[in-house]
Amino acid sequence: MNRKNILFISRERCDLFFIQAVRELVKDHNIIVVTSRHNQDTYDNIDGVTIEPWYNTDEIINICSQMDSPPASKIEKIEKELGTNCYQFNINYLLYDKFVRRYISKPSNTNNESYNELIPQRLLIEYEYLSKIIKRHNIDYAFFETIDLTDTMILDGMARNKTIKQAFAHEVNPIGGELRLRIVTGQHRRSPKIDHVYHSNKLNEESIRWAEQAIAKYEKEKPNTKYDNYHNELATILPKYTFSQIIDKTKRMLKGDSLAPAFIRLKNRLLSAKYFTNELPKGKIISYFLQLTPEASMCSQVPEFANQEHLIEQIAIHGKYGYTVAVKEHPICYGNREPKFYKELSQLPNVVMLPPSFPTREIITRSTAVVVATATSPGLESLGTGVPVVCLGDPFFNLCKNTVKIETPSQLWDVLDDLSVDHDELVKFVAAMYQATYDHPQYETFKDFEEREGSGIITAQAIKDEIALYESGAL
């Protein structure tokens, strides 16, 4: 295969696994890394890699703050060319600070507020910079952590209009007690390779056997990953912390971190407890699993549903008699939301709030359907358990015919009679997912996941395979 030119958008928190991936990919492809000037040394010692220095956050804000508002004609040209309106390029962080202030009850320590005030300026200079890089190096493909920043949104637009062939990110999902790495594209993080394998009907025997074994596990109990166990430990009012976590927090406090947020979360947990019930209601259940807030998967993919309290209210107020909406809190988010969040939802007569410690499997097996916006873990677990999933967003697993897509929360009640579960369809989807993804090392904490130890080589292989499919014309 001819060497392709791949653009990496560096993000310092990803350097550990990015470097592993770059070292592997540079053997077969030309790698160009965009990174901030003060981080340039991180990639300088990798033979064959071209570095394109860029500004750090503070520098970009300073440059943009000294710029006049861009001429409308320039921004309109970018909007038309990339098919995205100006403020959508920063859609995640337009919502991010609001949720931080609302739910975590403290001012944001990021530069997002300044960033948000300067979106047109940032869009212009980042578009012009990336356009030069792509032209200078004849870029074929781009890779970045996730589509949640202006530069990654620009590259996604360039992939849609074929300025570059494709823009990739990656995601790790649990299924059957394993973690599977998949290459994703687009704002909704779709998986073209999974789609291709699924529709090709060329499932190999290993994939079918793995799928059947995974589904058999779900029939007996939830196949947990190590990260599931970590979540469970966070689900109590007084969470357990490991010695290493305590040491890590102590180090951060010595650098200026405050204990105030931890006390606020503890207070919120104590005051919220009275709004939770530890029993599922009798009768039919529609379940919804609250997602981490704020999170790019909702803020950037389905911003219309990012206000989850409103989403749940809309499901409830249009509800049918005999159904209860069971809502479970996310373990990592427990304590971030103020008590009134749970109080107002629990006051709806057909809504029950379940604590994050409530067994997910028990909720799913009692559910007529599970409603998701982008919640991948509950969606995949529900499918594996044989429970239909109703998708408000456009998650990659809505490829499976055991899901139903709706546009608004009220439409949920119109599709209940159409829900069904087909075992052969489930085997086909799970087998396609297995065949088109990669075994990923399990991790025990969120910090472990951020460091992504050992995932760089796997990511590199996944990118190589994905590019080969694009070059063959299969995708």
Side-chain angles (χ1 to χ4, degrees):
M1 182 175 67
N2 294 331
R3 295 178 69 89
K4 300 302 173 187
N5 302 320
I6 308 174
L7 176 66
F8 265 67
I9 303 296
S10 168
R11 202 167 185 176
E12 287 186 40
R13 69 186 186 194
C14 301
D15 279 340
L16 285 175
F17 94 95
F18 265 36
I19 289 170
Q20 293 176 0
V22 165
R23 288 186 187 278
E24 287 297 310
L25 286 166
V26 78
K27 298 173 184 177
D28 303 300
H29 300 289
N30 304 316
I31 306 299
I32 299 88
V33 176
V34 168
T35 187
S36 60
R37 288 171 170 81
H38 78 275
N39 193 46
Q40 186 171 337
D41 292 346
T42 306
Y43 294 88
D44 266 344
N45 63 349
I46 305 177
D47 291 338
V49 172
T50 301
I51 306 296
E52 287 288 359
W54 186 229
Y55 302 111
N56 63 29
T57 299
D58 291 334
E59 290 171 333
I60 292 175
I61 290 175
N62 183 52
I63 291 169
C64 290
S65 64
Q66 297 179 42
M67 293 173 58
D68 294 330
S69 296
S73 58
K74 287 190 174 183
I75 299 299
E76 288 169 359
K77 177 179 178 294
I78 297 171
E79 290 176 324
K80 183 176 181 180
E81 180 181 327
L82 301 183
T84 302
N85 294 334
C86 177
Y87 291 94
Q88 288 179 276
F89 284 94
N90 204 54
I91 196 167
N92 178 47
Y93 289 103
L94 279 170
L95 295 174
Y96 188 92
D97 272 7
K98 179 187 78 169
F99 289 122
V100 168
R101 294 174 190 278
R102 177 185 296 177
Y103 295 141
I104 303 180
S105 305
K106 66 171 184 175
S108 171
N109 292 324
T110 69
N111 291 304
N112 296 333
E113 186 173 343
S114 298
Y115 251 33
N116 289 339
E117 292 174 354
L118 299 165
I119 292 172
Q121 291 90 333
R122 288 170 43 219
L123 174 58
L124 180 60
I125 66 170
E126 293 194 32
Y127 168 81
E128 290 180 342
Y129 172 77
L130 287 171
S131 296
K132 290 177 182 177
I133 297 297
I134 287 168
K135 185 175 181 180
R136 180 183 304 155
H137 298 284
N138 193 26
I139 297 297
D140 296 297
Y141 299 94
F143 181 82
F144 37 75
E145 183 199 13
T146 187
I147 301 180
D148 68 339
L149 298 169
T150 306
D151 53 4
T152 57
M153 290 287 286
I154 290 170
L155 289 169
D156 183 50
M158 289 178 169
R160 288 195 306 272
N161 73 8
K162 302 305 178 185
T163 299
I164 59 177
K165 293 181 179 180
Q166 189 53 273
F168 303 128
H170 83 303
E171 188 170 284
V172 178
N173 302 127
I175 188 166
E178 295 186 10
L179 292 182
R180 306 293 301 175
L181 182 146
R182 65 189 178 96
I183 296 298
V184 304
T185 62
Q187 191 172 342
H188 291 277
R189 302 175 71 81
R190 302 294 299 184
S191 286
K193 186 177 179 182
I194 296 178
D195 293 359
H196 169 69
V197 172
Y198 175 89
H199 290 298
S200 71
N201 293 315
K202 295 180 180 179
L203 298 171
N204 59 42
E205 291 184 6
E206 178 190 354
S207 300
I208 294 172
R209 183 168 57 251
W210 188 93
E212 290 173 339
Q213 291 172 350
I215 294 166
K217 291 179 183 178
Y218 281 110
E219 290 175 352
K220 297 177 182 179
E221 61 183 4
K222 175 184 177 180
N224 276 344
T225 66
K226 293 180 180 179
Y227 197 44
D228 291 320
N229 297 331
Y230 169 64
H231 274 197
N232 293 337
E233 292 176 359
L234 294 176
T236 58
I237 291 178
L238 293 172
K240 299 176 183 177
Y241 295 105
T242 65
F243 182 72
S244 63
Q245 287 173 312
I246 294 172
I247 294 296
D248 183 60
K249 179 61 178 178
T250 302
K251 290 179 180 178
R252 285 185 280 123
M253 286 177 62
L254 292 173
K255 294 180 180 179
D257 264 20
S258 171
L259 274 176
F263 284 118
I264 291 171
R265 284 193 288 271
L266 177 58
K267 180 195 73 172
N268 285 342
R269 290 181 180 203
L270 290 168
L271 296 177
S272 300
K274 61 184 176 182
Y275 302 115
F276 293 118
T277 179
N278 283 299
E279 292 184 6
L280 285 172
K282 296 179 181 179
K284 299 177 181 179
I285 292 173
I286 298 295
S287 59
Y288 180 85
F289 294 84
L290 283 163
Q291 293 184 230
L292 181 64
T293 305
E295 188 182 45
S297 66
M298 289 203 79
C299 292
S300 62
Q301 293 179 43
V302 284
E304 63 271 35
F305 303 127
N307 289 290
Q308 293 180 83
E309 63 269 43
H310 179 69
L311 166 59
I312 296 164
E313 286 171 353
Q314 292 301 304
I315 292 173
I317 64 177
H318 292 94
K320 285 186 174 182
Y321 179 71
Y323 286 88
T324 302
V325 182
V327 180
K328 179 183 173 179
E329 177 57 291
H330 192 292
I332 292 181
C333 219
Y334 188 30
N336 286 358
R337 307 185 217 269
E338 294 180 350
K340 66 178 182 180
F341 176 94
Y342 311 106
K343 178 182 179 181
E344 291 173 354
L345 288 174
S346 65
Q347 287 175 336
L348 291 165
N350 56 344
V351 172
V352 296
M353 301 300 302
L354 302 169
S357 57
F358 200 98
T360 296
R361 179 176 174 82
E362 187 176 341
I363 302 170
I364 289 174
T365 55
R366 276 284 317 279
S367 298
T368 299
V370 173
V371 181
V372 302
T374 63
T376 305
S377 296
L380 289 174
E381 183 179 343
S382 301
L383 288 174
T385 308
V387 175
V389 177
V390 178
C391 303
L392 276 160
D394 194 25
F396 80 97
F397 54 81
N398 70 359
L399 172 74
C400 178
K401 294 177 182 177
N402 292 346
T403 67
V404 174
K405 176 83 162 64
I406 59 174
E407 301 298 328
T408 66
S410 62
Q411 289 179 354
L412 162 67
W413 307 103
D414 299 327
V415 302
L416 290 182
D417 293 339
D418 300 329
L419 300 178
S420 63
V421 174
D422 183 280
H423 179 79
D424 291 341
E425 170 63 21
L426 180 57
V427 171
K428 179 180 177 181
F429 166 74
V430 175
M433 181 175 174
Y434 175 83
Q435 190 167 317
T437 58
Y438 301 78
D439 184 30
H440 189 278
Q442 295 218 17
Y443 48 88
E444 297 189 35
T445 68
F446 188 73
K447 182 182 178 183
D448 293 339
F449 172 66
E450 285 224 317
E451 292 178 352
R452 296 171 172 88
E453 184 67 31
S455 69
I457 295 174
I458 301 167
T459 302
Q461 186 59 56
I463 293 172
K464 287 181 183 179
D465 293 346
E466 199 90 0
I467 288 175
L469 284 172
Y470 277 95
E471 293 300 311
S472 73
L475 298 182

